Amino acid sequence: MANIRDLAKEAGVSVATVSRVLNGYPYVSEEKRKAVWEAVEKLNYTKNIQAVHLAKGRTTIVGVMLPYIHHPYFSAIIEGVSKEALRYGYQLLLFQTNYDVERELEALERLRMKQMDGLIVCSHQADWEIFAEYQEEGPIALCERVDGYDFFTVYIDHYQAFAKALRYLLDKGHRRIGYCIGRRTGPNSQARAAAYEEVLRDAGVTPQRQWIFDGCLFLEDGKRVIEQWMAMGERPSALLVTSDQVAAGIVLYAQRVGVRIPEELAIIGFDNDPLAEMLGITTVALPHFTLGERAFRLLHHWLETGNVPRKQEELPTRLIVRATG
Amino acid sequence: MANIRDLAKEAGVSVATVSRVLNGYPYVSEEKRKAVWEAVEKLNYTKNIQAVHLAKGRTTIVGVMLPYIHHPYFSAIIEGVSKEALRYGYQLLLFQTNYDVERELEALERLRMKQMDGLIVCSHQADWEIFAEYQEEGPIALCERVDGYDFFTVYIDHYQAFAKALRYLLDKGHRRIGYCIGRRTGPNSQARAAAYEEVLRDAGVTPQRQWIFDGCLFLEDGKRVIEQWMAMGERPSALLVTSDQVAAGIVLYAQRVGVRIPEELAIIGFDNDPLAEMLGITTVALPHFTLGERAFRLLHHWLETGNVPRKQEELPTRLIVRATG
């Protein structure tokens, strides 16, 4: 198997020169450059890089199934996965499904056909049953809590994270509490809706459906929330906001139109985004980046050792009290 | 080739029921669910999805070469690429190279071996020559300006974008101008450095190396810039900041420590991030997202029609004047 030393020997130049040529650095004579590229061709150097993987029976590709990338939640997971993938020399094959089951099945089928070594599922639409079936075909790691199936998952308990923030607001005397969310469907949103209903009712407070703002994904959605809030007859005195980007939008727009935070409206964000720290936003730190890192790392351990993990790992969340609530 | 109608016929249920079962929706009897999954297995439904691609001689995979994802510039390009990939039913194979030439060669070799249909190169280390060679093996689209080679590229002219902002500051009477940048190497940074030197010298102003702040990538880097700026004997009166996230960090931290923007320090960001709009930051809009979209779309056109584009497409930039400079 040719390596950089063989290339140097074949080309009659130093290893340093080979490295300079491969890296496209200047100050190498045309003659030496030519000799190096001829050696690359003669020794099938690039083909051999690929051959190493094939010999190991590996693709060094890990699939990542997610509905779309253009969303802060999924891009944070992807960043965590990709940091670890880079470290271990793996490539990522992204399956953007748009929650279309056919695309999800395609990902699973590529796993079965060994076009990748394993699959990380960030979020999905298809029945759990089909994932359970394909788990026999190749390693699958999930980023959501699953009850009733024997999956390998890393997850955040969104019910408890939401409940923690709600109890904090109740303790501070708030009784008119609403929340902002991305979409109403999906297991994370359902867990939050359940926490909202149950924690408030336990405290003798009536949940108010009209104080649930949905479609809140990006900074600019904060403006709409403040506008809607200002137009309300009876207004919530506090909002949980499931994204710090949206919380920052709310805080900055409130500043502009003269709504006093937290006196008129308390805000608790989620994520612990650097922007939340900069703006003094009280937030629940959610380890999305860590979720991606951990999912990859455990899948990698599985691939390297062959030991199938059968555990559910919960990542901790933490309320960070700052100025907005 | 089995489709959803064949599944319904085989299972003796309605098409709607098949769809409900595949999508994991509730309210389907256990008996019907079982019948559908048996039909899926009997008709090799999932295998057939894959077979459609194989029959076309396509992988429906497009590679994306980039040093790392965890960086706002590359994640914006990726988001643009992925939006279009989703639309046309393509998967993305990410090659995070960390600017390691062996990893770049691996991507090119996978292209040669038809493990993907095409490759988008966001940034790279290896010599142009090797890309020119591999272009014979499969479609390659570049996201950087290349002179002297016949590549298909979509790019932003960073020299002109930087020059535009510098001339604006000079016109407003600034003579002490510095800038904040991510890294000093790479073609985009070199283009900006050249613009800084040349535009200032043309105006009879001496460029000041000590007013170049590097390592400025994220919001939190803005704090460090303000601290360094405050510690300087002779300070610049204006800064170009090559990322709006960093510009926002500067503006927010300046507010906290009482530095008046733009009276004491004018700030011009780049990108036109929603945060810049929210904070009233003057910025040069850079179409990174569009860059990704366009690169994918033209690669897709190439794959569909077989017509090799041989053009260099420049995307426009625009100065948006707001409150900070």
Side-chain angles (χ1 to χ4, degrees):
Chain A
M1 193 65 65
N3 60 30
I4 196 166
R5 279 194 197 77
D6 301 324
L7 288 180
K9 202 173 159 191
E10 176 68 31
V13 301
S14 69
V15 167
T17 299
V18 172
S19 175
R20 295 188 77 79
V21 172
L22 291 180
N23 283 279
Y25 292 135
Y27 314 125
V28 180
S29 72
E30 199 45 47
E31 193 188 346
K32 283 184 180 173
R33 279 165 48 87
K34 209 167 153 242
V36 170
W37 288 119
E38 279 170 9
V40 164
E41 198 155 319
K42 186 167 172 202
L43 299 181
N44 272 336
Y45 180 66
T46 57
K47 287 174 200 164
N48 289 336
I49 294 171
Q50 183 65 19
V52 170
H53 299 313
L54 293 176
K56 285 192 198 151
R58 288 283 173 75
T59 61
T60 62
I61 290 173
V62 161
V64 182
M65 181 189 293
L66 72 180
Y68 22 74
I69 299 171
H70 186 51
H71 179 293
Y73 172 74
F74 295 111
S75 61
I77 295 180
I78 280 283
E79 285 179 356
V81 170
S82 74
K83 176 176 158 272
E84 291 301 288
L86 179 61
R87 183 169 157 189
Y88 291 107
Y90 275 72
Q91 318 301 345
L92 301 181
L93 183 55
L94 301 183
F95 292 92
Q96 287 193 97
T97 63
N98 210 12
Y99 288 124
D100 175 338
V101 171
E102 287 227 351
R103 292 206 174 137
E104 296 182 2
L105 290 173
E106 185 191 329
L108 291 165
E109 196 55 24
R110 286 193 197 246
L111 178 67
R112 195 185 62 78
M113 292 175 75
K114 313 287 180 218
Q115 292 184 7
M116 53 199 181
D117 299 339
L119 177 65
I120 294 170
V121 177
C122 299
S123 183
H124 67 95
Q125 186 65 51
D127 201 289
W128 285 119
E129 196 162 312
I130 200 161
F131 288 92
E133 204 174 287
Y134 273 92
Q135 205 170 25
E136 308 303 315
E137 309 285 353
I140 299 176
L142 304 173
C143 299
E144 282 176 344
R145 181 173 185 159
V146 190
D147 294 316
Y149 285 96
D150 194 17
F151 283 119
F152 160 40
T153 81
V154 187
Y155 66 91
I156 294 166
D157 186 333
H158 287 283
Y159 182 99
Q160 289 305 336
F162 220 63
K164 193 184 298 186
L166 286 165
R167 288 194 194 103
Y168 169 80
L169 287 172
L170 289 165
D171 285 350
K172 292 198 81 170
H174 288 280
R175 289 295 174 272
R176 291 175 289 116
I177 303 174
Y179 70 94
C180 302
I181 199 150
R183 57 171 190 158
R184 289 182 191 245
T185 55
N188 295 350
S189 299
Q190 281 162 10
R192 287 159 174 155
Y196 181 69
E197 288 281 329
E198 291 166 20
V199 172
L200 290 195
R201 286 199 192 282
D202 281 355
V205 172
T206 310
Q208 301 288 344
R209 302 232 152 187
Q210 73 275 22
W211 291 344
I212 306 175
F213 299 77
D214 62 10
C216 295
L217 289 168
F218 305 104
L219 187 89
E220 48 273 39
D221 295 318
K223 184 180 175 218
R224 178 174 47 84
V225 172
I226 285 292
E227 285 169 349
Q228 287 182 12
W229 178 85
M230 290 174 81
M232 282 177 169
E234 200 190 6
R235 298 167 178 172
S237 66
L239 287 178
L240 299 191
V241 185
T242 59
S243 143
D244 274 341
Q245 287 286 321
V246 178
I250 290 175
V251 166
L252 290 169
Y253 194 72
Q255 224 170 57
R256 196 187 293 179
V257 295
V259 172
R260 285 171 305 128
I261 306 271
E263 295 80 1
E264 293 176 79
L265 179 64
I267 295 294
I268 300 194
F270 284 77
D271 293 339
N272 197 27
D273 194 295
L275 190 54
E277 192 186 351
M278 186 69 91
L279 293 172
I281 295 174
T282 296
T283 191
V284 180
L286 298 183
H288 294 137
F289 186 86
T290 307
L291 189 66
E293 278 185 317
R294 207 61 68 86
F296 183 89
R297 219 180 292 161
L298 292 174
L299 196 62
H300 182 253
H301 179 76
W302 187 351
L303 292 170
E304 287 298 310
T305 65
N307 295 329
V308 183
R310 289 290 184 204
K311 62 168 179 172
Q312 309 228 342
E313 184 185 0
E314 186 183 319
L315 298 180
T317 64
R318 189 165 52 97
L319 178 71
I320 301 172
V321 177
R322 297 192 184 111
T324 62
Chain B
M1 194 65 62
N3 61 29
I4 197 165
R5 279 194 196 78
D6 302 322
L7 289 180
K9 201 173 160 193
E10 176 66 32
V13 300
S14 69
V15 167
T17 299
V18 172
S19 175
R20 297 188 74 80
V21 171
L22 291 180
N23 282 281
Y25 291 136
Y27 314 124
V28 179
S29 73
E30 198 44 49
E31 191 188 348
K32 284 183 180 172
R33 277 165 49 87
K34 206 164 156 248
V36 170
W37 287 118
E38 279 170 7
V40 164
E41 198 153 321
K42 188 168 170 200
L43 299 181
N44 272 336
Y45 180 64
T46 57
K47 286 173 202 164
N48 289 336
I49 295 171
Q50 183 63 18
V52 171
H53 298 314
L54 293 176
K56 284 192 200 150
R58 288 282 172 76
T59 61
T60 60
I61 290 173
V62 162
V64 182
M65 181 189 292
L66 73 181
Y68 22 74
I69 299 171
H70 187 52
H71 180 292
Y73 172 73
F74 296 111
S75 59
I77 296 181
I78 280 284
E79 285 179 358
V81 171
S82 74
K83 175 175 159 274
E84 290 301 288
L86 179 61
R87 183 168 154 190
Y88 291 107
Y90 275 71
Q91 317 301 344
L92 301 180
L93 182 56
L94 301 183
F95 292 91
Q96 285 193 98
T97 63
N98 210 13
Y99 288 124
D100 175 338
V101 171
E102 288 227 350
R103 291 207 176 136
E104 296 182 4
L105 291 174
E106 185 191 329
L108 291 166
E109 197 54 24
R110 285 192 198 247
L111 178 67
R112 197 187 59 79
M113 294 175 75
K114 313 288 181 218
Q115 292 183 5
M116 53 200 182
D117 298 340
L119 177 65
I120 294 170
V121 177
C122 300
S123 184
H124 67 95
Q125 184 66 51
D127 201 287
W128 285 121
E129 195 162 313
I130 200 160
F131 288 92
E133 204 173 287
Y134 273 93
Q135 205 170 25
E136 307 304 315
E137 308 285 354
I140 298 177
L142 304 172
C143 298
E144 281 176 344
R145 183 174 183 155
V146 189
D147 294 316
Y149 286 95
D150 194 18
F151 284 119
F152 160 39
T153 81
V154 186
Y155 66 91
I156 293 166
D157 186 335
H158 287 284
Y159 183 100
Q160 288 306 336
F162 221 61
K164 191 184 300 185
L166 285 165
R167 289 195 193 102
Y168 170 79
L169 287 172
L170 289 165
D171 284 349
K172 292 198 79 168
H174 289 279
R175 288 297 174 272
R176 292 175 289 117
I177 302 174
Y179 70 93
C180 302
I181 199 149
R183 56 172 191 157
R184 286 180 195 247
T185 55
N188 295 350
S189 300
Q190 282 162 10
R192 287 160 175 154
Y196 180 68
E197 288 282 330
E198 291 166 20
V199 172
L200 291 195
R201 287 199 192 284
D202 282 356
V205 172
T206 311
Q208 301 288 344
R209 302 232 154 188
Q210 72 276 20
W211 291 343
I212 305 175
F213 300 77
D214 64 10
C216 296
L217 290 168
F218 304 104
L219 186 90
E220 47 273 38
D221 295 317
K223 185 181 175 219
R224 178 174 47 85
V225 171
I226 285 292
E227 284 169 350
Q228 287 182 14
W229 179 86
M230 289 175 79
M232 283 176 168
E234 200 190 6
R235 298 166 178 172
S237 66
L239 287 176
L240 299 191
V241 185
T242 59
S243 143
D244 274 339
Q245 287 285 321
V246 178
I250 291 174
V251 167
L252 290 170
Y253 194 71
Q255 222 171 58
R256 199 188 291 180
V257 295
V259 172
R260 284 171 306 126
I261 308 266
E263 294 81 1
E264 293 176 79
L265 180 63
I267 294 294
I268 300 194
F270 285 78
D271 293 340
N272 197 23
D273 193 295
L275 190 53
E277 190 186 352
M278 186 69 90
L279 294 171
I281 296 173
T282 295
T283 192
V284 181
L286 299 182
H288 294 138
F289 185 87
T290 307
L291 189 65
E293 277 184 318
R294 207 61 67 89
F296 182 88
R297 219 180 292 162
L298 292 174
L299 196 61
H300 182 255
H301 180 76
W302 188 349
L303 292 169
E304 288 297 311
T305 65
N307 296 330
V308 183
R310 290 287 184 206
K311 62 169 179 172
Q312 308 227 344
E313 183 184 0
E314 187 183 319
L315 298 180
T317 64
R318 188 166 53 97
L319 178 71
I320 301 172
V321 176
R322 298 193 183 109
T324 63

